[in-house]
Amino acid sequence: MRISSGKIEGYILILMTLPLMVLGGALAFYGKEGALVFHGGLIALVTSYAIISIFRKMSEPAQNIPLEYNDGVIRAAVIMTGIWGFIGFFVGSVIAWQLAFPDLNIDLPWTNFARVRPVHTTSVIFGFGANALIATSFYIVQRTSRARLAGRFTPWMVLWGWNLFVILGVSGYPFGITQGREYAEPEWYADLIALFVWVAYLWVFLATLSRRAERHIYVANWYFLAFLIAFAMLHTFNNLAIPISLEYAKSYSLFSGVKDAMTQWWYGHNAVGFFLTASFVGMLYYFLPKAAGRPIYSYRLGIIGFWGLVFLYMWVGSHHLHYTALPDWVQVLGMSMSVILLIPSWAVVFNGFFTLNGAWHKLRVDPALRFMALAVCFYAISTLEGVFMAMKPVNALSHYTDWTIGHVHAGALGWVAFITFGSMYKLVPWVWHREGTYSKRLEAWHFWLALSGVLIYVGAMWNSGITQSLMWQTYNPDGQFAFAFIDTVDAMHPYYIARAFGGTLYLIGFCLGAYNLWLTIHPRTPIQMPDQQELKPLPTVNLNKATVKSPMSVKATETPTGPAE
Amino acid sequence: MSKLHQMIERNSLVMVLMITIVASIGGIIEIAPLFTIENTIEKVEGMRPYTPLELAGRDIYVREGCYACHSQMIRTLKTDVDRYGHYSLAAESMYDHPFQWGSKRTGPDLARVGLKYSDDWHVAHMKEPRRFVEGSIMPGYAFLADNDLDLDRAPLSLKALRMAGDPYTDKMIAEAKQDILRQADPELEGEDDLEERYGEKVQIRDFDGQPKRVTEMDAIVAYLQMLGTLIDPKQVSDKIRAEEAAKSKALKGESQ
Ligand code: HEM
Ligand code: HEM
């Protein structure tokens, strides 16, 4: 039986999207809050647009699948990464200045720090981070499998569906729509969309793997798989909630108190572990060897690192709840597992460094590779730091203070964002078929601004965190506290200014980077070397199982396609 | 090892299965017992679900994201206890959907802030924090005093919470709107009803200094003023300790 491409896929997608459309319509119709009506309308609009365009595409005469990689969706994801990156870093800088100068809150409901802060965390993690992951994972899985991305519509549904989720989140917080749980703030209807998208994402990934022309699944893909599976579990279980009605966005978490806290931090730490770590390690395992021109150093370290990470991360959420009402044994277990977690974490670090070994000279001329090398350094630092903070005595000092914020941003700015920048400088020329980026000098400027930004940010937060904690704990000889709470707030002021300054440098660096890539994509002068691929008539093959053997794929697979043994 | 692993990495479904199993273990071992072991949360006298007004206040607390700057979890450390009072017990957040323990103390802990200040202080502080506390970096929330509280939400909220396991009765749900008015307006009849439903410690008064209206400020101050006031934590933890001592004594006796 021969079916024209994408019919089954299209119908399944439409069937899955229809309920969401109905839901959106219902929210828009019954909603009593302005923001909820807007959300409902937006959902209904986007889903109906999706359904209509799938129908239209399906009714076109059946086409053969082009024998090339599907890079269109990657290009769109790269653009979204840039947009969310700007929003996230900009809002991060705004809230940093708000903490330094509270009058900047303006005391309007939608401008004050606490409503804006989740806009920052959601934009950077789920906007910037996730779009970068969609772009790189789609790139990597195609190249390392030497197969075209599965699905005609699904990859696009994944991209736009996910961005719809992020928009629903970010546009809701300023109007008070939030679940009130860190990193899981979007309300139930947005969570449903995210779940739908995630299942689709997992399908695309597995289906692409299943048509691979390589026998082995490349190590980067293991990490992406773990990220996809783990986040599906975490997201579903942690967001179990009971909506109060269709008139209001509000829902109540199904769990309460201690159970809710443990579920939330099981989720929260693994948002860190799988969203900000495992998946970005996947990125590292492709782009670092490719940029350095050397194969991954050790296959064995890869295996140990991978399974260790997948196993251990899920245990350590309770180190966010030391000395609380959570039963003691869970705290101690979380602490112990956190210490062991250093082994798989540093397995990745060693693999990264030894892969670079022999390519150190390239660091001088290639800022992108420098970003990646520094990313490995910051990964090493923040995991080591995390292990210390997970120990109860240290946590007694660090918990509730800016030290945590310093740790977060050593990881976020230094590791997550650096590896992303490095990879983007490689990925953009590849998927837009350019010889290189517009300007290496701008890349270098970006690097130095970003590095100064992180160092200032993290340095300031270490100082302020430890200062504040010590001030909280200082007694006078008569047994009274030496400092009132507000004294400790005053003491933070200079550090908050420094942090905001560091963050602003980082933002400026990012803008230079974005400008550089924009000019790479849209050069001022017409491109000298026309892209050879597009000049040739595209060879085509018969439908579904299109395995790519185009000149591009040869070029793309110069890299190690399997771990070196 | 590598033979086995080669098998795994050649088959994506095996890999998916392995990842799922390996990643599930931690969560199952740590979280499942919290739902089954009875003593995760000790039964404590005095704990009761929130009144509709307090609940509305709590919803505002969540909506505004106060947890970004305030914790509600006094740790068992001496310095925490000396500054904020008896450490928090599990039972004290048993009706918190979601929990609001927080992870950052940009401002002080609020777990026992109830009755520490007057209502007027809270209202004025919420409106303009830096008028009272020089150097405060808390945002101002003057708009809460202008917003009328949405009463229609109350019964819906109580119903949803009952589905999540909180012991709200039909009567409580039916009276929810009226109970908000009763608590915020001492002139209204029916205080006894309110106390009958929610206990003696319910604080009944006009909280925001605008007796004619029930605003969001009423709700949030009512919530802040009840935080940590429901139980006597010292008594409770002494009792728990005594029980535990008795239990372990009994166990020792058996084993001898
Ligand atoms: C220009 C760069 C950035 C600036 C200026 C910035 C600033 C801030 C500020 C001021 C806060 C609130 C801290 C507090 O409550 O005391 C914050 C929180 C946070 N930021 Fe950033 N940020 C930046 C980039 C990033 C990036 C790239 C990520 C992640 C990929 C990130 C992730 C987070 C997270 C997870 C939190 C919450 C931390 C916690 O609750 O412990 N930030 N950021
Ligand atoms: C072995 C690795 C790591 C360990 C053991 C670890 C441990 C910890 C600990 C103990 C805390 C403080 C909890 C508290 O006192 O509230 C923390 C917070 C945090 N860590 Fe890590 N960490 C690790 C790696 C990372 C990495 C690579 C990132 C990447 C961005 C990261 C992001 C965060 C975030 C976002 C928080 C703040 C959570 C919150 O309170 O909102 N961690 N981590």
Side-chain angles (χ1 to χ4, degrees):
Chain A
M1 194 179 68
R2 192 165 172 279
I3 345 154
S4 70
S5 147
K7 271 262 155 68
I8 292 183
E9 182 201 356
Y11 284 124
I12 292 178
L13 280 178
I14 290 172
L15 269 182
M16 286 172 71
T17 315
L18 265 176
L20 294 177
M21 188 176 90
V22 174
L23 175 70
L27 291 176
F29 184 75
Y30 291 109
K32 276 192 180 173
E33 298 162 309
L36 181 64
V37 174
F38 168 71
H39 279 178
L42 188 68
I43 296 172
L45 209 72
V46 173
T47 46
S48 37
Y49 178 78
I51 291 175
I52 292 170
S53 42
I54 291 177
F55 260 125
R56 284 210 350 228
K57 285 258 165 63
M58 281 195 315
S59 58
E60 284 169 9
Q63 276 178 354
N64 286 333
I65 299 177
L67 184 68
E68 45 168 25
Y69 294 123
N70 182 355
D71 285 349
V73 62
I74 297 174
R75 288 191 280 265
V78 168
I79 304 280
M80 292 315 292
T81 308
I83 293 175
W84 284 117
F86 179 77
I87 297 175
F89 299 145
F90 177 74
V91 175
S93 305
V94 169
I95 57 173
W97 286 110
Q98 282 181 335
L99 284 177
F101 300 103
D103 287 338
L104 293 174
N105 282 296
I106 335 184
D107 294 0
L108 294 172
W110 46 86
T111 52
N112 77 51
F113 173 82
R115 283 201 194 179
V116 176
R117 189 182 189 270
V119 175
H120 164 62
T121 53
T122 303
S123 311
V124 284
I125 300 176
F126 297 127
F128 172 75
N131 276 299
L133 290 171
I134 291 176
T136 51
S137 68
F138 280 177
Y139 186 87
I140 293 169
V141 74
Q142 294 188 84
R143 267 51 178 196
T144 56
S145 305
R146 283 200 284 132
R148 183 182 163 85
L149 205 56
R152 189 170 164 205
F153 314 112
T154 319
W156 289 100
M157 292 288 275
V158 169
L159 179 70
W160 297 126
W162 184 259
N163 281 285
L164 173 66
F165 163 72
V166 186
I167 290 171
L168 289 176
V170 165
S171 65
Y173 312 144
F175 301 97
I177 297 184
T178 168
Q179 291 194 133
R181 334 178 83 216
E182 268 184 286
Y183 318 125
E185 290 96 347
E187 271 292 356
W188 59 277
Y189 50 89
D191 290 335
L192 281 178
I193 292 175
L195 184 62
F196 160 83
V197 170
W198 214 256
V199 173
Y201 193 175
L202 186 60
W203 177 81
V204 171
F205 211 80
L206 284 174
T208 310
L209 281 180
S210 76
R211 17 167 116 160
R212 70 186 180 278
E214 299 287 333
R215 276 188 84 189
H216 293 263
I217 301 173
Y218 181 57
V219 53
N221 297 323
W222 310 350
Y223 282 94
F224 286 122
L225 269 182
F227 153 67
L228 288 165
I229 296 167
F231 191 72
M233 301 197 305
L234 295 160
H235 174 80
T236 309
F237 197 64
N238 186 49
N239 283 303
L240 291 175
I242 300 175
I244 66 171
S245 81
L246 289 176
E247 296 162 354
Y248 300 94
K250 176 83 186 160
S251 69
Y252 290 101
S253 160
L254 183 59
F255 314 126
S256 69
V258 178
K259 294 174 226 166
D260 198 43
M262 188 57 220
T263 316
Q264 157 64 20
W265 281 115
W266 167 76
Y267 166 88
H269 196 82
N270 290 295
V272 170
F274 289 89
F275 226 106
L276 297 180
T277 302
S279 49
F280 284 90
V281 171
M283 201 187 277
L284 176 88
Y285 267 131
Y286 184 84
F287 284 92
L288 183 74
K290 183 103 189 178
R294 298 177 51 79
I296 297 277
Y297 168 72
S298 160
Y299 172 59
R300 236 158 236 279
L301 272 180
I303 295 181
I304 295 171
F306 177 73
W307 291 107
L309 212 108
V310 172
F311 178 68
L312 289 167
Y313 251 109
M314 291 289 191
W315 292 78
V316 303
S318 53
H319 68 216
H320 291 262
L321 300 169
H322 281 335
Y323 301 104
T324 66
L326 184 75
D328 227 22
W329 65 268
V330 192
Q331 299 180 21
V332 174
L333 202 57
M335 170 171 89
S336 321
M337 289 302 193
S338 305
V339 175
I340 309 175
L341 185 55
L342 192 64
I343 298 170
S345 302
W346 277 40
V348 171
V349 171
F350 281 120
N351 234 352
F353 278 136
F354 285 119
T355 301
L356 273 173
N357 213 356
W360 296 114
H361 58 283
K362 289 191 184 162
L363 289 185
R364 238 180 321 138
V365 291
D366 187 355
L369 190 61
R370 218 146 59 204
F371 265 125
M372 295 184 207
L374 259 288
V376 180
C377 289
F378 275 105
Y379 182 67
I381 295 170
S382 56
T383 47
L384 182 66
E385 181 190 25
V387 167
F388 274 99
M389 290 167 66
M391 297 181 197
K392 289 184 82 170
V394 182
N395 193 269
L397 197 71
S398 74
H399 190 57
Y400 290 142
T401 73
D402 282 328
W403 188 349
T404 307
I405 307 295
H407 163 72
V408 170
H409 289 86
L413 298 173
W415 153 243
V416 171
F418 268 30
I419 189 72
T420 305
F421 296 149
S423 305
M424 286 296 155
Y425 281 128
K426 296 293 167 199
L427 182 65
V428 166
W430 292 341
V431 292
W432 266 276
H433 311 300
R434 306 282 184 261
E435 267 191 298
T437 53
Y438 166 73
S439 157
K440 277 252 154 55
R441 282 225 354 240
L442 274 180
E443 259 181 60
W445 268 98
H446 179 194
F447 175 79
W448 290 113
L449 279 169
L451 184 61
S452 337
V454 191
L455 292 178
I456 295 173
Y457 191 129
V458 176
M461 289 298 98
W462 278 336
N463 273 303
S464 77
I466 293 173
T467 308
Q468 189 171 34
S469 194
L470 292 179
M471 284 176 82
W472 285 345
Q473 305 187 3
T474 308
Y475 290 90
N476 278 334
D478 63 359
Q480 296 289 313
F481 280 114
F483 300 101
F485 191 89
I486 191 67
D487 299 330
T488 71
V489 177
D490 287 338
M492 299 303 100
H493 188 62
Y495 300 118
Y496 282 174
I497 294 178
R499 182 254 305 267
F501 176 70
T504 309
L505 285 187
Y506 201 88
L507 173 67
I508 295 172
F510 176 78
C511 292
L512 291 184
Y515 174 72
N516 190 6
L517 288 183
W518 184 253
L519 286 184
T520 307
I521 299 169
H522 300 281
R524 285 209 208 112
T525 49
I527 311 162
Q528 298 298 315
M529 193 193 69
D531 181 28
Q532 295 172 343
Q533 256 225 317
E534 276 162 14
L535 289 181
K536 278 192 218 157
L538 287 169
T540 50
V541 288
N542 192 7
L543 303 179
N544 286 332
K545 297 240 168 180
T547 300
V548 181
K549 287 254 164 52
S550 70
M552 256 307 279
S553 71
V554 180
K555 205 168 113 204
T557 46
E558 288 163 2
T559 37
T561 43
E565 282 182 60
Chain B
M1 180 173 90
S2 50
K3 270 274 153 53
L4 175 73
H5 203 268
Q6 301 234 332
M7 196 271 281
I8 299 174
E9 63 183 66
R10 277 181 202 161
N11 188 328
S12 52
L13 291 182
V14 174
M15 187 130 210
V16 167
L17 198 70
M18 286 291 292
I19 291 173
T20 312
I21 294 170
V22 171
S24 304
I25 300 172
I28 291 172
I29 291 185
E30 285 188 354
I31 299 181
L34 299 183
F35 287 82
T36 50
I37 297 176
E38 252 179 57
N39 63 5
T40 303
I41 302 171
E42 42 319 317
K43 275 260 169 308
V44 165
E45 213 179 306
M47 266 323 284
R48 58 155 174 83
Y50 294 100
T51 68
L53 184 66
E54 293 158 4
L55 185 66
R58 187 166 199 282
D59 290 349
I60 293 169
Y61 187 94
V62 172
R63 179 188 82 191
E64 296 304 328
C66 310
Y67 67 88
C69 290
H70 290 286
S71 57
Q72 283 191 26
M73 172 46 64
I74 303 168
R75 293 172 295 172
T76 49
L77 302 167
K78 178 177 184 328
T79 47
D80 259 35
V81 171
D82 286 351
R83 200 179 276 275
Y84 302 112
H86 194 284
Y87 57 82
S88 301
L89 302 174
E92 289 179 280
S93 44
M94 67 186 285
Y95 296 119
D96 290 3
H97 305 257
F99 79 114
Q100 292 284 289
W101 295 359
S103 63
K104 182 70 176 47
R105 272 187 195 150
T106 304
D109 191 280
L110 298 180
R112 304 204 184 285
V113 80
L115 299 179
K116 181 175 163 194
Y117 302 101
S118 68
D119 294 345
D120 292 345
W121 186 90
H122 275 301
V123 173
H125 177 258
M126 291 294 289
K127 283 184 179 168
E128 219 180 314
R130 275 173 293 293
R131 227 175 82 199
F132 284 88
V133 189
E134 215 195 306
S136 175
I137 56 172
M138 176 161 147
Y141 289 93
F143 61 88
L144 293 179
D146 299 331
N147 292 353
D148 286 319
L149 190 66
D150 181 354
L151 300 184
D152 293 340
R153 260 174 73 153
L156 300 172
S157 294
L158 262 54
K159 245 186 250 165
L161 283 173
R162 180 161 72 178
M163 275 163 74
D166 287 2
Y168 286 110
T169 60
D170 289 340
K171 178 97 181 158
M172 286 169 167
I173 294 173
E175 295 285 320
K177 277 193 216 178
Q178 204 55 31
D179 279 350
I180 290 187
L181 299 176
R182 287 188 185 114
Q183 190 176 354
D185 184 354
E187 317 265 281
L188 272 187
E189 305 282 299
E191 285 181 23
D192 298 343
D193 289 353
L194 192 61
E195 281 179 9
E196 190 190 304
R197 281 192 277 282
Y198 295 99
E200 309 248 294
K201 290 200 173 157
V202 177
Q203 302 172 37
I204 300 175
R205 57 182 184 270
D206 170 46
F207 293 90
D208 71 345
Q210 308 181 82
K212 294 248 154 57
R213 303 169 61 194
V214 181
T215 64
E216 295 189 334
M217 189 64 92
D218 276 312
I220 190 121
V221 175
Y223 173 61
L224 289 172
Q225 291 290 36
M226 63 76 66
L227 280 175
T229 60
L230 291 184
I231 64 173
D232 178 350
K234 186 150 176 348
Q235 207 182 346
V236 174
S237 59
D238 285 351
K239 202 171 126 210
I240 295 174
R241 230 173 275 140
E243 272 168 17
E244 268 168 14
K247 226 189 260 168
S248 66
K249 226 185 200 168
L251 277 179
K252 265 187 208 143
E254 267 169 31
S255 66
Q256 270 164 10

